[in-house]
Amino acid sequence: MELEEKQGSRRWEGHLDWRNMAALRGRHDGMLPASFVLVLFAAATATSFSYNPFASAEPVGPDVEGCNKPTLPSGAKPTTCCPPNLEKKEPIDYVIPNYQTLRIRKPAHDYDDLEKYKKALNIMKSLPDDHPHSWTQQSRIHCAYCSNSYHQHGHTDIAMQVHFSWIFLPFHRWLLYFYERILGKLIDDPNFAIPFWNWDAPEGMELPSIFTDKSSPLYNALRNQNHQPPTLVDLNWNVKNVNTSGDTSGDVKANLATMYRQVYEVKKAICFYGRSFRAGDKPYTIKTGSGSIELVPHNIVHSWTGDKTQPNLEDMGAFYAAARDPIFYSHHANVDRMWTIWKSFGREDITDPDYQNASYVFYDENLNLVRVKNSDAFDIKKLGYDYKQLDLPWLKAKPMPRRSKNQRQQRRVKTLDLPFTLKDKIVSTVVKRPRINRNQTEKDEKEESLVFSIQFDRSKHLKFDVLINEEEDYKWANPKYRELAGSFVSVSHGAQTSSDVGATETTFLIGITDLLDQLDVDDEDSIVITLVPQYGDEVIIKDINISFEECKSQ
Ligand code: C2O
């Protein structure tokens, strides 16, 4: 490791003129420094990915040979997302260095490495666009994986998409990992750690001030001007509301309740991470579906931060552009931290080999094109970092019923004819429950899940809320209250063709076991679902049902 570090810093000279790297590498065929041979050897002999023959399909991964022009939402300026292909190198399997010290990621509102971060970013921003470590490349790599730019290895007609499924968390973990390693390399500090935006605690519930200094490389002009500090972030933000005029403003209690609902209360991995995504799966079908953490607060914070005057809330509010804003990396560091926190609750994980072995390709800090897989990212200490331990005030912020069972008025609600187009009117329907009064063991084993099959236009923003057994005259979904079961939120991203735009399908899952207990209705054989459109165009609700299988870990 020692050797590699030294070799690494010598190689760093290549950052100033990375094209020399190619020449340098060429020469290696003749005479190689001993340490360099060691490193390459280790990489080449690393376990190649073993695919489990019993898996029902194959793990998904990008076809890095065939990077395409991205498809962008309308109004977006043309851009490319493909990384430079250094000497047309084949990716090598990544070997995680043996880290001796942990890089500790701290909250952005209490970050003591700001000068280092600024220095590293200034260097990164001064690199030529086609340098694999340049700032431009950092944003492009995210775009390549979510805008129909990369397609799937072995299925080159199908887009690689890192949102809407169980690869969402591991992909973004790797993205941040290399971003951080590259920044550390640029300032020759292997212990450099990026800050996280602590939006889950009152101290962090505003745009952190390190990002708002106009003279700093952490600044970005394309952000919502109404959301500058000290405006509170609203983890349930509605771009525009059909019920009230204007903006909703953040509310600490509502935000904490939202965290409780979206993180602590989601017991099963599929419902927290997202549904399966395997090689050959199309990204926008009812087989896929985002986990609770991706929908809220992840998607919400993207839209809340983005600039309302831009066609698609760029930068943060549109996936192709989001990583152009330095706050993207701190936002995702907190999403990543939520994953580690969720795991610390001791819940069952996903062991499916197609989840474990899904893979991605990145440039590492030594300019190697490397392939990494999900299972190598499960232990952040193995990746050499950790998060500063902080209080989690939302653990005590369980949402409570707005009305007790006795206070609630009985409603007569008809079953909606499906498919139903939800547009700007609030609607209610009755959903039958296949089972009532399960015992605690059954409840712990299987989550009662509300399952929506929906179709919408992914190039636009969309949000609708789901209320359970709420009263007719009550029009406002308040996250503090238990009656709000969850929200579907989509962040704008490109569609392949105009006919494909409106045809994005997905499954939206909400676990409701605890919720029904809390509303004291576990003995009732049906529930009333109220759908509250908050913004965006129409969404077609194709099916609503209750299942005990959907949230399962396998
Ligand atoms: Cu890949 Cu927060 O998006």
Side-chain angles (χ1 to χ4, degrees):
M1 230 41 269
E2 256 285 84
L3 282 176
E4 194 197 358
E5 281 307 331
K6 272 199 207 118
Q7 178 61 41
S9 42
R10 212 171 321 142
R11 265 187 271 166
W12 155 230
E13 283 149 25
H15 279 286
L16 298 176
D17 182 5
W18 65 276
R19 288 168 194 86
N20 285 343
M21 275 291 302
L24 239 161
R25 284 189 176 182
R27 258 196 285 133
H28 286 158
D29 291 337
M31 197 178 61
L32 290 161
S35 57
F36 198 56
V37 177
L38 270 176
V39 174
L40 283 184
F41 184 71
T45 55
T47 42
S48 53
F49 296 163
S50 47
Y51 294 133
N52 184 326
F54 302 109
S56 43
E58 267 193 9
V60 72
D63 169 42
V64 283
E65 301 276 282
C67 192
N68 304 284
K69 260 204 165 146
T71 46
L72 303 173
S74 63
K77 292 199 195 85
T79 182
T80 55
C81 298
C82 301
N85 196 351
L86 268 187
E87 311 162 64
K88 295 243 176 258
K89 273 221 167 296
E90 273 287 298
I92 52 173
D93 290 349
Y94 184 62
V95 182
I96 303 170
N98 189 1
Y99 292 112
Q100 305 296 331
T101 10
L102 294 177
R103 307 181 294 281
I104 304 298
R105 294 184 184 168
K106 297 183 186 130
H109 64 265
D110 186 20
Y111 181 58
D112 46 17
D113 270 341
L114 181 60
E115 288 316 309
K116 283 186 191 170
Y117 195 7
K118 287 185 356 192
K119 185 177 166 203
L121 268 180
N122 279 327
I123 300 175
M124 190 177 248
K125 289 187 172 186
S126 73
L127 294 172
D129 280 358
D130 63 346
H131 189 295
H133 291 172
S134 71
W135 173 248
T136 307
Q137 288 303 325
Q138 301 308 308
S139 66
R140 284 190 182 164
I141 195 73
H142 181 253
C143 169
Y145 279 96
C146 66
S147 301
N148 194 34
S149 199
Y150 272 153
H151 287 186
Q152 299 175 17
H153 180 73
H155 302 269
T156 49
D157 53 332
I158 306 178
M160 178 81 189
Q161 172 55 264
V162 293
H163 306 96
F164 290 103
S165 80
W166 66 15
I167 64 172
F168 169 74
L169 288 170
F171 168 81
H172 290 85
R173 174 167 287 177
W174 278 119
L175 181 84
L176 294 189
Y177 170 83
F178 288 114
Y179 175 70
E180 184 174 80
R181 294 300 293 158
I182 292 168
L183 289 165
K185 184 77 170 201
L186 296 179
I187 52 169
D188 227 336
D189 179 356
N191 296 322
F192 172 76
I194 55 172
F196 62 86
W197 180 2
N198 191 197
W199 33 246
D200 59 302
E203 308 78 57
M205 280 181 195
E206 56 182 62
L207 204 99
S209 60
I210 59 171
F211 293 97
T212 61
D213 166 8
K214 289 195 174 149
S215 65
S216 164
L218 278 72
Y219 179 75
N220 179 28
L222 298 186
R223 292 184 190 140
N224 190 320
Q225 288 313 305
N226 300 329
H227 293 167
Q228 300 302 307
T231 308
L232 279 192
V233 66
D234 182 351
L235 300 183
N236 197 55
W237 189 59
N238 297 317
V239 176
K240 96 179 163 337
N241 200 284
V242 291
N243 306 304
T244 59
S245 53
D247 221 334
T248 56
S249 91
D251 166 338
V252 171
K253 279 201 183 132
N255 285 343
L256 294 176
T258 301
M259 292 307 301
Y260 185 99
R261 172 189 294 109
Q262 300 298 119
V263 181
Y264 183 72
E265 201 179 68
V266 185
K267 308 267 168 39
K268 303 291 179 191
I270 291 284
C271 275
F272 186 68
Y273 297 8
R275 304 182 99 198
S276 67
F277 189 54
R278 309 173 199 274
D281 284 349
K282 295 204 174 106
Y284 309 109
T285 69
I286 56 163
K287 275 179 88 175
T288 60
S290 304
S292 62
I293 186 70
E294 183 183 341
L295 297 173
V296 180
H298 166 262
N299 283 353
I300 296 267
V301 174
H302 270 283
S303 317
W304 184 86
T305 310
D307 186 348
K308 253 181 145 171
T309 68
Q310 296 300 306
N312 307 288
L313 298 177
E314 285 90 347
D315 287 330
M316 275 285 276
F319 283 147
Y320 82 92
R324 294 173 183 171
D325 188 335
I327 206 163
F328 170 87
Y329 304 90
S330 288
H331 171 39
H332 268 278
N334 207 37
V335 172
D336 186 63
R337 177 173 161 260
M338 289 306 131
W339 185 15
T340 68
I341 290 168
W342 188 87
K343 292 262 286 194
S344 76
F345 301 142
R347 287 161 184 173
E348 215 176 291
D349 214 332
I350 302 173
T351 55
D352 189 312
D354 291 341
Y355 169 66
Q356 306 263 332
N357 293 318
S359 65
Y360 324 98
V361 172
F362 291 96
Y363 276 104
D364 74 0
E365 73 273 27
N366 297 318
L367 295 171
N368 294 313
L369 190 61
V370 293
R371 179 179 286 116
V372 294
K373 60 176 174 173
N374 280 0
S375 60
D376 282 335
F378 296 160
D379 179 358
I380 59 171
K381 294 202 175 125
K382 205 173 116 196
L383 291 179
Y385 74 93
D386 201 354
Y387 289 98
K388 185 174 174 182
Q389 293 286 321
L390 298 178
D391 270 356
L392 302 174
W394 42 272
L395 287 180
K396 294 181 231 95
K398 185 171 180 166
M400 296 311 251
R402 195 176 67 88
R403 288 286 178 93
S404 72
K405 188 175 186 170
N406 296 336
Q407 290 169 329
R408 228 173 283 140
Q409 24 162 305
Q410 290 294 322
R411 292 177 64 187
R412 272 167 194 271
V413 174
K414 282 198 303 217
T415 311
L416 269 187
D417 285 333
L418 298 177
F420 177 83
T421 302
L422 182 69
K423 205 167 174 169
D424 39 26
K425 259 180 53 207
I426 298 172
V427 291
S428 296
T429 184
V430 173
V431 181
K432 278 251 166 261
R433 298 175 62 213
R435 292 200 49 200
I436 60 169
N437 290 330
R438 294 185 301 151
N439 66 37
Q440 198 53 50
T441 321
E442 291 172 311
K443 285 181 180 176
D444 291 344
E445 218 160 74
K446 289 181 175 180
E447 177 75 28
E448 181 161 355
S449 328
L450 190 54
V451 187
F452 296 87
S453 309
I454 60 174
Q455 182 181 321
F456 59 103
D457 173 352
R458 71 172 172 279
S459 70
K460 307 227 176 76
H461 286 77
L462 174 69
K463 178 172 185 273
F464 66 89
D465 297 330
V466 178
L467 307 175
I468 293 186
N469 285 19
E470 187 50 279
E471 292 172 9
E472 201 149 17
D473 60 341
Y474 190 70
K475 302 293 190 202
W476 179 242
N478 190 324
K480 272 185 287 201
Y481 296 128
R482 190 57 282 193
E483 285 81 355
L484 174 64
S487 308
F488 181 81
V489 186
S490 176
V491 168
S492 164
H493 59 299
Q496 197 156 359
T497 61
S498 52
S499 62
D500 165 57
V501 165
T504 301
E505 291 189 354
T506 196
T507 289
F508 171 34
L509 286 178
I510 314 177
I512 54 171
T513 307
D514 279 5
L515 184 152
L516 296 185
D517 276 340
Q518 255 190 289
L519 295 183
D520 202 9
V521 294
D522 192 28
D523 56 347
E524 295 179 8
D525 61 7
S526 63
I527 52 175
V528 174
I529 306 284
T530 301
L531 302 172
V532 186
Q534 294 290 9
Y535 58 77
D537 257 16
E538 58 185 45
V539 51
I540 303 171
I541 312 287
K542 294 187 145 177
D543 191 35
I544 309 177
N545 66 70
I546 286 176
S547 147
F548 297 98
E549 299 302 320
E550 298 289 344
C551 279
K552 279 196 317 185
S553 288
Q554 295 303 314

